[in-house]
Amino acid sequence: MNIGKDLVAASAVPLVLAILAEGESYGYAILKRVSELSGGRLVWTDGMLYPVLHRLERLGRIKGRWGRSGSGRRRKYYRLTENGRGQLAEQRQQWQAVDATLRGIWGALPEPDGTA
């Protein structure tokens, strides 16, 4: 299944915030976690993730720090801020409302193939 760009873009912020709510992480690990959580249906690229991380950092939702991996490689680690936790709670409520609305309307309509 190919998930449209608009839906991927709309879900980027809540997904990144939720992943960072699990604990500090870095870009490549976030990309892997998105793929893992979506069962491989969402495949993000660096070019999609890093603008989101930079915007969230600018807004104070996440905080980045430079560090070294176990192999000595330099990488930037991100963590959720209190501001980000509040934003995550708000995003969660919004997505739950959208999900409930879609489930309600889809439950009332016949399946696209004509089955109920």
Side-chain angles (χ1 to χ4, degrees):
M1 166 186 5
N2 185 17
I3 299 174
K5 287 182 184 180
D6 290 342
L7 191 53
V8 170
S11 64
V13 167
L15 280 170
V16 168
L17 293 175
I19 289 167
L20 292 177
E22 295 177 326
E24 185 177 69
S25 194
Y26 58 96
Y28 180 70
I30 294 169
L31 293 173
K32 283 180 54 176
R33 187 71 173 127
V34 167
S35 180
E36 177 186 305
L37 289 169
S38 69
R41 291 180 302 245
L42 289 176
V43 180
W44 288 2
T45 63
D46 293 355
M48 186 253 143
L49 174 63
Y50 285 101
V52 172
L53 290 172
H54 296 156
R55 185 173 71 246
L56 289 172
E57 193 171 20
R58 237 184 0 264
L59 293 170
R61 310 282 200 262
I62 65 174
K63 177 89 172 146
R65 70 166 180 86
W66 287 101
R68 299 237 178 244
S69 69
S71 65
R73 186 177 179 156
R74 191 168 181 250
R75 62 171 62 136
K76 194 166 188 180
Y77 292 87
Y78 297 92
R79 66 173 175 77
L80 198 59
T81 64
E82 283 306 312
N83 181 307
R85 287 189 195 287
Q87 182 65 32
L88 176 57
E90 187 177 311
Q91 291 272 322
R92 186 176 187 154
Q93 289 177 332
Q94 291 174 16
W95 277 96
Q96 287 172 335
V98 169
D99 177 61
T101 303
L102 288 171
R103 286 177 189 268
I105 196 159
W106 286 335
L109 297 174
E111 290 290 325
D113 66 1
T115 61

